[in-house]
Amino acid sequence: MTETDPTALSRELEKRAISQLDKDTFPKNARFLFFEAVDLTTKLDHHDQLKNLLDEMLHSILFLGNIHAAKYNPEDIFEKTHDPIMRRFPEPFQYYQTHVPLRTPFSYFLELVVKFYGQNNEETVKDKLSRTLKKYKESAAKNTPLISTVMCICASGESRHYGVSLSCGSDKAKNIMTAVSCEHVWHPKVSSAVMSVFPDDAGEPRSIKLPDTVRCRAYAIADTRQLKPPCKRCNQLYSLPDPTDHLNTPGNCAETEAISNFIKTEKHACYGNFKKRLFKRRQEKRAEIGQRMSDYFDKEMNELMDKRLAKNRNKYRISRFYHPKK
């Protein structure tokens, strides 16, 4: 079977996916989240300096729409607002079919919220995320692709470091973004811990031990008074106490991003024997991380693109990621 003569199965899969266009909440969620972010930046001083964050968030939305089973085009997502958005943010539209994003849209939204309210204003940040989710639910949407429902705060003294659960629109996209995060985003120690059980869950978990002075807690964004106990996976990878019996997909939990941000920022916390205690086992070499994630990324992306007609396929590489021009 040649590339220009796709199988009947591929045609049927694409037809079914397209038929879901009006039923899926992905476009609605994407519009809601992006416009919430734009509204937030207009209230900040020097909001033009935050354009790069909006660029990256928009590119992430367009990329995830493009690799979705229904293959959402920018016009499908933004409808009547497509043209003015493209005029204001041309680069994401230029690169979403060739470059991968570094983070999910909600992760960028979280960063904007933290910049607006302040890194250490924990309760205000939690309240804003909760009000955003409440506003979203009032729009009668039932599903939450792109909208994270769990946040985590890693606290050390007066410092706060935030993370949200991966929300990408599909399990396939989540796997792809986990590979990208391991390669480019998360601290190498977090990447190595995640990779000890990702993607095949065949290895022995490599565990991080945070200092006793660090508090790591997750919350349901819908009600931030509700603590979310760590899952069994977070107990395995990050030594978080009192876990549930549920084993989430490696890297999916909000704890992953929060702990990574903590380790990246709080370098002064790595004093005494902390560096020695942080890993119970030796860290994998960076080159091995890159090769493993590159191979897995290619496999997942090829499986996704092979289900499409030739004209709708795109060629992505994990090493080619989007970064806005200054």
Side-chain angles (χ1 to χ4, degrees):
M1 192 68 65
T2 65
E3 189 175 89
T4 57
D5 183 22
T7 64
L9 177 60
S10 294
R11 291 182 184 275
E12 180 62 23
L13 287 172
E14 189 157 5
K15 182 179 178 181
R16 290 180 183 178
I18 293 173
S19 71
Q20 295 297 314
L21 196 66
D22 294 329
K23 301 178 183 178
D24 202 319
T25 54
F26 184 102
K28 183 176 183 178
N29 293 7
R31 289 193 300 272
F32 169 82
L33 193 58
F34 185 68
F35 293 146
E36 284 289 304
V38 170
D39 181 64
L40 196 62
T41 59
T42 60
K43 299 174 183 177
L44 283 166
D45 292 335
H46 311 296
H47 63 268
D48 287 343
Q49 297 177 7
L50 300 174
K51 184 177 181 297
N52 279 356
L53 268 181
L54 289 175
D55 269 339
E56 290 179 283
M57 181 182 184
L58 177 57
H59 173 267
S60 184
I61 288 171
L62 297 179
F63 167 83
L64 292 172
N66 188 52
I67 68 170
H68 194 281
K71 195 184 184 304
Y72 295 110
N73 295 317
E75 295 87 348
D76 301 323
I77 297 173
F78 289 105
E79 299 177 336
K80 295 180 180 179
T81 60
H82 169 269
D83 289 351
I85 290 175
M86 187 168 65
R87 285 193 295 269
R88 183 177 175 186
F89 304 96
E91 284 189 16
F93 291 85
Q94 181 180 353
Y95 293 110
Y96 79 93
Q97 292 179 306
T98 56
H99 290 61
V100 297
L102 292 178
R103 289 153 55 191
T104 64
F106 205 87
S107 177
Y108 289 115
F109 181 72
L110 170 65
E111 183 174 350
L112 285 170
V113 170
V114 171
K115 286 183 179 296
F116 185 85
Y117 292 106
Q119 183 79 27
N120 299 329
N121 290 329
E122 174 181 333
E123 293 303 319
T124 310
V125 170
K126 287 161 60 178
D127 180 66
K128 171 59 179 176
L129 293 180
S130 183
R131 285 187 287 112
T132 299
L133 188 59
K134 182 179 179 181
K135 181 179 178 181
Y136 162 76
K137 288 186 174 181
E138 287 174 351
S139 67
K142 296 181 180 180
N143 299 322
T144 60
L146 303 185
I147 310 291
S148 298
T149 57
V150 179
M151 68 175 299
C152 178
I153 302 173
C154 208
S156 175
E158 297 298 320
S159 298
R160 299 292 183 269
H161 306 278
Y162 302 85
V164 288
S165 53
L166 282 179
S167 186
C168 307
S170 70
D171 289 339
K172 180 72 75 175
K174 190 178 296 182
N175 291 340
I176 288 170
M177 290 307 298
T178 299
V180 171
S181 297
C182 282
E183 170 66 359
H184 295 301
V185 182
W186 294 330
H187 190 279
K189 293 174 180 177
V190 172
S191 295
S192 188
V194 171
M195 281 184 51
S196 67
V197 289
F198 178 83
D200 51 17
D201 200 11
E204 184 177 353
R206 182 172 286 115
S207 180
I208 290 174
K209 180 69 170 69
L210 296 172
D212 294 337
T213 55
V214 177
R215 185 192 72 204
C216 190
R217 293 179 179 174
Y219 303 86
I221 294 179
D223 181 2
T224 53
R225 296 169 299 179
Q226 179 186 346
L227 278 172
K228 299 280 290 184
C231 72
K232 186 177 180 180
R233 183 76 70 192
C234 287
N235 171 259
Q236 291 176 345
L237 300 184
Y238 314 125
S239 305
L240 299 181
D242 304 319
T244 67
D245 293 330
H246 188 66
L247 204 62
N248 283 338
T249 304
N252 177 68
C253 296
E255 286 89 339
T256 301
E257 184 176 35
I259 290 172
S260 174
N261 288 337
F262 163 75
I263 298 175
K264 284 181 180 179
T265 306
E266 299 293 325
K267 295 180 180 179
H268 65 276
C270 299
Y271 55 83
N273 64 350
F274 173 62
K275 286 185 178 180
K276 295 179 181 178
R277 290 191 298 112
L278 191 60
F279 258 168
K280 293 180 179 178
R281 296 174 179 84
R282 295 176 61 186
Q283 180 184 346
E284 289 185 13
K285 294 180 180 179
R286 192 68 194 170
E288 183 180 348
I289 291 178
Q291 189 59 55
R292 284 183 60 194
M293 290 300 95
S294 179
D295 292 344
Y296 180 70
F297 175 93
D298 290 344
K299 180 183 77 69
E300 291 291 288
M301 192 64 77
N302 288 338
E303 287 178 0
L304 190 155
M305 292 298 165
D306 284 347
K307 296 177 181 178
R308 296 184 173 182
L309 300 177
K311 65 179 182 179
N312 290 331
R313 296 174 187 171
N314 301 107
K315 180 63 177 177
Y316 293 103
R317 295 199 304 267
I318 197 171
S319 60
R320 189 168 58 197
F321 56 87
Y322 176 68
H323 188 70
K325 297 177 182 177
K326 300 296 184 183

